[in-house]
Structures are given as structure tokens and as C-alpha cells.
């Protein structure tokens, strides 16, 4: 029997105390385990965990956590929810690896407790952004989407991007991004050494701002300069050895012309004319030529005779490779400064998407030739190499020797570790950001094998899921110095104070900013006009301090304001 552990009274985010009522978590995967651990140890919550069986996945580990009541049920039906006393629960997390099953369970839970707070794991992006229409109080999250920014940040060694509906946002200095990309100011300093002021009204070049990542920050990217992309395609379409041969033969022909003009004193026009005839095989040997003249003509003729088939071979090779490339719809691989991502599953695709949104060069390696991740790369013109990333020749095709970072994120821990170790054996200074499912294993691998960074998706995603359960409507957080700003998605309910008011009422210096508005048509408008009137049934996305969020919660939904005041 494991020793009894005491839950320490750790202070909660934003100074909040636990509310009355337990939290119910459904699932037995790695995310469920990390979420329950986060809720019990960091937030001091009492948790009821519903698992298929004690032997399923991480269910036994969940049972060992303090402050957890375990319920075994093969189905998430009304009987299971009755055992968990769902009517008295404060919130419910559905984190199984099944979108349909999670949705079905959420509908059942709503019948049991209509006002229950729901946090649902949902991989389908379109459904994730619209699922709140089915429930009174619901947030849908995806662990892969939540964790991807941390992989991107580690690969680039810069602050993590923030992925929100239809947009990827970044934090940057105002002077470093186009003015039209700025969503709002995050923080600024009154003096160079002064304290940070959050959400200021003023605009200064050194302000830290939230900006949209439009893929144009690196002007040498594939979409910013078509001429660059064309040159890359031509260079990659001709094999290196053939290109060298053509270059050498052209050099011999040019040398012959230079010698005729510089040494023999022939006019340039006549030299070019005679060289062309010689290449074509129409040269006429002259017995009165001196030895030097005969040598020049012989060199020119040999170079010309060999040049024609070499050029023919190069053209044929270019046409064949261009057709193969067009058939596969893959772009040429970058030579240097790119990030290599191996595995185009849920996590890999989102990492590639965010890197591309930020204008970074990306090369993907995927064993299969089909799938959503491959289709996305083809659509964006991102190079994809089909092969086994554990093989040295496949990594070499991706130009491992000159890449910026390697991110192995396949769905297999052993494969990811093998890729990382093979790559670091080839290049010891390589920045590697490694995905491992087990957080403890990730920490030990990072320490023992010298891997730059090891990450567990569940470890990265669990705090966001926990915050959504404890903090109403919070969908993300942004650290600013030693303080934290939250991003929340709030409804404009009938009878709420915000209904009928202009967007500017949601902007309070130092407290809150309305960064996006979702109309009844489902489309998001980023950085909406200040005079735009908020209508019942719409939603606003806000960036706020804890105080500002509390004020907007009360103004957007009367029931939320009452609940926070309990």
C-alpha cells in the first residue's frame, strides 16, 4: 500500500481560492493523469475520476493520487454520472481520445446538470470552435494544439506563439512587426528601467505587443519572394554531379574563346562565330594553324562535342524531376536555416502550421504519403520528405547539417528518441526538441542524453485544461515578466451589461482589451472597431488581468458575476 501523501496548500493562479464542489474527470490516458495531478497538487481540488477499469492505461496511477475518488465504468452514462454525484459537481472534464464519445458524454452530462461547467478534449478544429453553441458553459480544447506552441518556442528559442481560432499570435516588440499586424499592446515601461505596465493605452516602439503571425516576417520565405522559390526549384531539379559536368564543359568553351581573343588577337565576334561552328561540328581544320591555335581549336571542339549531350541530359533530368515533384506536389528542400519536423500527426501538423504562420522555413519528414498533415504541407508549399527519419540518408536529404533545429514528434517514444540520438551523433551542436509521452522520461532523457529539450504533450496541456476547469472561460495565458495575462472567450448574454454597448467598454487601461469578436455568422473579427456594438448571442475574446476578467465576466453574463461573488 503506497504511503499517505499530504496535499500542500499551494496558492492558486490569480489569487483564486477553490470553489465549493468537486471536479469530475473522465478518462484514463496520459492527459487525464496529468490533469488530475495538476488539479489535486497545484490547485488543491477534490477530484472524482471515472475510468473504464483500474487496469486501463493510467487508471491505476490516477487512483494513487491523493484527493481522488475513483469510479470504474465502461460507459459514461447516467449511472456513471450518478455514482459521481454529477449534480453537485462544479465542473466536468472529458479528455478521452474520442471526439464522438466525449461529445456524447457531454450531452448526457448536460441532461443531468444543465449549468455544469464543461471542458472537452476535441481534436476536430471546426467542431471545437463551435461546440459552445450546444452547451450553456463549455470550453473545448485540444492537447496537441495547446502543446504545439511550446515545441515551436523551444525550436526557435523565442517566446511561444499563441494559437487561437483562425489565427496564430506572437509576442514581439512593436518596432519589430508591421503596424497592421499589431492586435494590442501587452506591456510597456514608463522608463527604460521602470516597472512593466500591463495593457497600456499609449503606443511606443519598445512596447511589447500581441501581433498576428502572417508568415511574412522572414522576407526570404517561399511565399514572400517567388523568384527565390524558382531559383531553389532550379537548383534542386538538376543533380549536383550533372551540374558540375555541365559547368566544367562550359568553362572549357569559355576558356577557348578567351584565349582566342586575348592570345591570338581574334575579334570577339569572329571567336564566338567560330566557336559555335566548332561546337556544331562544322569546324574546318587549317593546316597553317600554329600549335597554340590547333590546341585552342581542339579544346573548344572537345568541350563543344561533350557539352551538347551534357545539356541534353540536364534538360531531360530537370523535366523528369520537375514532373515527379509536380506529381507529388512537394516543394524543394531548403539548404539552411530551416526547422526539421519528423511526424505529421496531430502535434507535428500543428507545429508545422505555426512555424509556417511565423514565416519560418520548415522541412517535414513523414513515413506515409497521405494524411491531413501531408495535404496541408502540399497546400502551403512546405517541403515533405517521405521516408524513415531514423535513417541517416533521410535526415541528410533534409539537410540536417545546416538546419536550425530538429523536432521529432512521431507517435512513438522509441522512434523519437532514436531520431534524436542519430541526429546528435551526426551533429553534436544540433538543437533538438523531443516529444516523449511520459513527462518523467522526458526529464530524464533531457538530463542523461544531452538532448536540448524534451517535452510531454500531456504535461504541457494539463495546466491549460486545469485552468479552464477552475477559471471560467480561460482558454490561454500569456506570461509577461512576473505577471500573467489571461485570454478568455466570453458570451454576450441576453440582459448582460455588455449587450448593446460598444466594444470600447471592454477596454480598460491596465485591465482588459477586446482582441476579437465572433458574430452570429460564426466568423471572427480581429481587433474590432471600438464603436462596434455588441449584440446578444455574440462572443468576445479578451486579454485581461485577473481583475479585468472578473469585471468582464460580470458584465457579459449575470450568472457568472453572481457565481464569482459567492
Amino acid at each position: 500500500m503506497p504511503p499517505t501523501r499530504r496535499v500542500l496548500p499551494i496558492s492558486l493562479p490569480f489569487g483564486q481560492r477553490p470553489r465549493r464542489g468537486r471536479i469530475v474527470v473522465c478518462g484514463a490516458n496520459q492527459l487525464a493523469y496529468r490533469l488530475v495531478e495538476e488539479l489535486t497538487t497545484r490547485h488543491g481540488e477534490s477530484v472524482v475520476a471515472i475510468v473504464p477499469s483500474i487496469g486501463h492505461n493510467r487508471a491505476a496511477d490516477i487512483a494513487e493520487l491523493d484527493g481522488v475518488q475513483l469510479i470504474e465504468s465502461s460507459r459514461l452514462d447516467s449511472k456513471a454520472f450518478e455514482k459521481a454525484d454529477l449534480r453537485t459537481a462544479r465542473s466536468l472534464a472529458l479528455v478521452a481520445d474520442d471526439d464522438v464519445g466525449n461529445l456524447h458524454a457531454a450531452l448526457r452530462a448536460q441532461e443531468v446538470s444543465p449549468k455544469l461547467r464543461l471542458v472537452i478534449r476535441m481534436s476536430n478544429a471546426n467542431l471545437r470552435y463551435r461546440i459552445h453553441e450546444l452547451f450553456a458553459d463549455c470550453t473545448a480544447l485540444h492537447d496537441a494544439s495547446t502543446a504545439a506552441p511550446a515545441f515551436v518556442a523551444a525550436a526557435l528559442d523565442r517566446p511561444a506563439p499563441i494559437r487561437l481560432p483562425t489565427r496564430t499570435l506572437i509576442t514581439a516588440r512593436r518596432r519589430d512587426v508591421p503596424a497592421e499586424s499589431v492586435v494590442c499592446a501587452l506591456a510597456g515601461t514608463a522608463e527604460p528601467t521602470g516597472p512593466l505596465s500591463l495593457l497600456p493605452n499609449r503606443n511606443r516602439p519598445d512596447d511589447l505587443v500581441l501581433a498576428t503571425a502572417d508568415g511574412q516576417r522572414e522576407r526570404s520565405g517561399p511565399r514572400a519572394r517567388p523568384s527565390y522559390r524558382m531559383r531553389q526549384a532550379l537548383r534542386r531539379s538538376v543533380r549536383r554531379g550533372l551540374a558540375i559536368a555541365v559547368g566544367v564543359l562550359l568553362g572549357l568553351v569559355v576558356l577557348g574563346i578567351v584565349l582566342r581573343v586575348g592570345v591570338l588577337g581574334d575579334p570577339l565576334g569572329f571567336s564566338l562565330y567560330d566557336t559555335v561552328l566548332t561546337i556544331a561540328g562544322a569546324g574546318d581544320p587549317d593546316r597553317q594553324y600554329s600549335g597554340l591555335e590547333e590546341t585552342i581549336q581542339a579544346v573548344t571542339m572537345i568541350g563543344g562535342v561533350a557539352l551538347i549531350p551534357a545539356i541534353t541530359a540536364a534538360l531531360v533530368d530537370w523535366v523528369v524531376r520537375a514532373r515527379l515533384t509536380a506529381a507529388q506536389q512537394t516543394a524543394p528542400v531548403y539548404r539552411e536555416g530551416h526547422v526539421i519536423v519528423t511526424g505529421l500527426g496531430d502535434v507535428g501538423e500543428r507545429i508545422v502550421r505555426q512555424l509556417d504562420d511565423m514565416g519560418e522555413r520548415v522541412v517535414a519528414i513523414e513515413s506515409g504519403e497521405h494524411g491531413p498533415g501531408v495535404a496541408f504541407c502540399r497546400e502551403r508549399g512546405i517541403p515533405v520528405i517521405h521516408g524513415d527519419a531514423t535513417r541517416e540518408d533521410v535526415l541528410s536529404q533534409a539537410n540536417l547539417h545546416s538546419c536550425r533545429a530538429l523536432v521529432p514528434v512521431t507517435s512513438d517514444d522509441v522512434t523519437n528518441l532514436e531520431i534524436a540520438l542519430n541526429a546528435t551523433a551526426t551533429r553534436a551542436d544540433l538543437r533538438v526538441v523531443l516529444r516523449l509521452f511520459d513527462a518523467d522520461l522526458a526529464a530524464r532523457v533531457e538530463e542523461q542524453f544531452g538532448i536540448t529539450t524534451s517535452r510531454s504533450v500531456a504535461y504541457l496541456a494539463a495546466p491549460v485544461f486545469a485552468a479552464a476547469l477552475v477559471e471560467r472561460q480561460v482558454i490561454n495565458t500569456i506570461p509577461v515578466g512576473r505577471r500573467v495575462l489571461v485570454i478568455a472567450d466570453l458570451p454576450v448574454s441576453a440582459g448582460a451589461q455588455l449587450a448593446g454597448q460598444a466594444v470600447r467598454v471592454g477596454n480598460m487601461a491596465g485591465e482588459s482589451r477586446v482582441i476579437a469578436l465572433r458574430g452570429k455568422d460564426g466568423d471572427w473579427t480581429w481587433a474590432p472597431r471600438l464603436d462596434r456594438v455588441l449584440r446578444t448571442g455574440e462572443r468576445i475574446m479578451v486579454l485581461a488581468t485577473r481583475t479585468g476578467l472578473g469585471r468582464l465576466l460580470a458584465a457579459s453574463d449575470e450568472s457568472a458575476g453572481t457565481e464569482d461573488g459567492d
Side-chain angles (χ1 to χ4, degrees):
M1 183 174 179
T4 302
R5 289 172 292 181
R6 183 169 59 92
V7 178
L8 299 178
I10 300 174
S11 60
L12 301 182
F14 320 119
Q16 180 179 341
R17 295 180 180 178
R19 299 177 188 171
R20 294 187 301 271
R22 297 173 297 172
I23 294 176
V24 180
V25 177
C26 300
N29 53 19
Q30 182 73 10
L31 175 60
Y33 171 73
R34 282 291 302 129
L35 176 58
V36 173
E37 185 181 44
E38 184 82 10
L39 289 169
T40 55
T41 60
R42 287 186 58 84
H43 293 267
E45 297 287 348
S46 177
V47 176
V48 177
I50 303 179
V51 300
S53 67
I54 190 65
H56 187 82
N57 208 335
R58 299 298 301 271
D61 296 326
I62 294 173
E64 292 182 2
L65 295 172
D66 287 335
V68 179
Q69 175 189 347
L70 197 75
I71 295 176
E72 298 181 59
S73 177
S74 59
R75 298 182 59 193
L76 294 178
D77 52 17
S78 57
K79 291 183 179 179
F81 290 144
E82 199 172 307
K83 289 181 182 178
D85 196 11
L86 195 63
R87 287 186 177 87
T88 63
R90 187 168 84 247
S91 53
L92 168 67
L94 299 162
V95 294
D97 302 322
D98 178 11
D99 284 2
V100 175
N102 289 340
L103 179 58
H104 195 182
L107 293 171
R108 285 174 174 165
Q110 184 175 239
E111 294 174 358
V112 175
S113 181
K115 294 184 178 181
L116 181 68
R117 168 73 171 156
L118 297 172
V119 175
I120 307 174
R121 181 194 181 275
M122 189 69 58
S123 61
N124 185 292
N126 292 329
L127 186 57
R128 187 164 68 246
Y129 296 141
R130 301 188 68 95
I131 198 171
H132 61 80
E133 299 172 3
L134 302 175
F135 305 98
D137 187 1
C138 174
T139 294
L141 300 170
H142 188 212
D143 47 342
S145 299
T146 303
F151 285 89
V152 173
L156 301 179
D157 195 21
R158 66 171 66 165
I162 303 101
R163 181 64 186 174
L164 297 175
T166 74
R167 290 290 174 93
T168 295
L169 304 182
I170 57 173
T171 57
R173 292 295 174 185
R174 186 183 295 275
R175 59 175 174 268
D176 297 331
V177 294
E180 62 272 13
S181 297
V182 176
V183 175
C184 71
L186 289 177
T189 53
E191 300 295 337
T193 58
L196 285 173
S197 59
L198 297 181
L199 303 174
N201 281 332
R202 58 177 178 75
N203 298 327
R204 294 184 179 178
D206 60 342
D207 284 346
L208 186 66
V209 299
L210 191 65
T212 58
D214 56 7
Q216 299 298 323
R217 297 183 68 219
E218 185 177 323
R219 295 301 174 182
S220 60
R223 289 175 294 164
R225 290 175 58 181
S227 60
Y228 170 84
R229 190 174 181 180
M230 184 178 297
R231 291 196 303 272
Q232 286 286 85
L234 288 174
R235 281 197 292 265
R236 293 297 178 187
S237 296
V238 180
R239 296 183 188 276
R240 183 181 298 272
L242 193 56
I244 293 174
V246 172
V248 169
L249 294 174
L250 279 174
L252 289 176
V253 173
V254 172
L255 177 62
I257 295 173
V258 171
L259 290 175
R260 295 191 64 149
V261 174
V263 178
L264 301 180
D266 290 342
L268 178 61
F270 175 78
S271 298
L272 291 173
Y273 168 73
D274 190 61
T275 298
V276 171
L277 289 181
T278 301
I279 290 174
D284 184 15
D286 193 332
R287 296 181 182 274
Q288 298 181 356
Y289 275 177
S290 66
L292 180 58
E293 291 173 321
E294 290 176 349
T295 301
I296 293 174
Q297 187 180 41
V299 169
T300 303
M301 183 173 292
I302 292 172
V305 169
L307 179 62
I308 291 178
I311 291 177
T312 303
L315 288 174
V316 171
D317 183 76
W318 180 80
V319 170
V320 171
R321 289 168 65 84
R323 287 184 177 180
L324 289 174
T325 298
Q328 296 177 353
Q329 298 182 16
T330 57
V333 177
Y334 296 109
R335 288 181 179 272
E336 59 184 12
H338 53 285
V339 177
I340 301 174
V341 179
T342 67
L344 287 175
D346 277 349
V347 178
E349 179 188 352
R350 282 160 177 79
I351 293 172
V352 169
R353 183 186 297 271
Q354 292 187 16
L355 286 168
D356 188 62
D357 284 345
M358 298 172 70
E360 299 292 339
R361 300 178 180 182
V362 191
V363 175
I365 301 177
E366 171 61 30
S367 56
E369 297 187 3
H370 304 285
V374 175
F376 168 78
C377 289
R378 289 174 178 170
E379 178 186 342
R380 291 281 188 98
I382 296 170
V384 179
I385 296 173
H386 297 289
D388 182 358
T390 61
R391 292 168 55 95
E392 184 179 348
D393 59 326
V394 174
L395 290 174
S396 179
Q397 289 179 47
N399 290 328
L400 180 73
H401 65 281
S402 57
C403 73
R404 182 172 182 177
L406 172 68
V407 186
V409 286
T410 72
S411 57
D412 182 73
D413 279 1
V414 174
T415 300
N416 291 336
L417 184 56
E418 185 178 358
I419 293 171
L421 293 177
N422 290 345
T424 52
T426 302
R427 181 180 162 192
D429 65 336
L430 180 65
R431 172 177 288 275
V432 178
V433 184
L434 174 65
R435 174 192 183 181
L436 293 174
F437 283 81
D438 186 271
D440 182 64
L441 176 61
R444 294 178 186 277
V445 165
E446 185 174 339
E447 179 181 355
Q448 297 295 327
F449 290 96
I451 302 296
T452 308
T453 307
S454 299
R455 291 283 187 263
S456 162
V457 171
Y459 185 87
L460 294 169
V464 178
F465 278 75
L469 287 164
V470 176
E471 295 286 333
R472 187 185 175 102
Q473 272 86 15
V474 171
I475 60 176
N476 217 320
T477 60
I478 301 177
V480 181
R482 295 182 177 273
R483 303 179 67 182
V484 173
L485 293 172
V486 298
I487 299 177
D489 179 11
L490 309 178
V492 181
S493 304
Q497 298 176 21
L498 287 180
Q501 300 290 325
V503 167
R504 64 169 53 89
V505 303
N507 293 352
M508 181 73 69
E511 288 191 7
S512 62
R513 287 286 185 278
V514 177
I515 61 175
L517 185 148
R518 186 176 186 271
K520 294 182 179 180
D521 57 1
D523 293 333
W524 285 95
T525 300
W526 293 86
R529 301 191 322 271
L530 295 180
D531 59 352
R532 167 66 159 80
V533 176
L534 301 174
R535 302 178 180 89
T536 299
E538 295 181 334
R539 303 184 74 85
I540 57 174
M541 189 175 297
V542 299
L543 179 66
T545 62
R546 183 68 185 90
T547 301
L549 177 59
R551 180 176 62 85
L552 288 175
L553 279 170
S556 65
D557 186 353
E558 292 180 348
S559 64
T562 302
E563 186 179 357
D564 281 344
D566 287 346

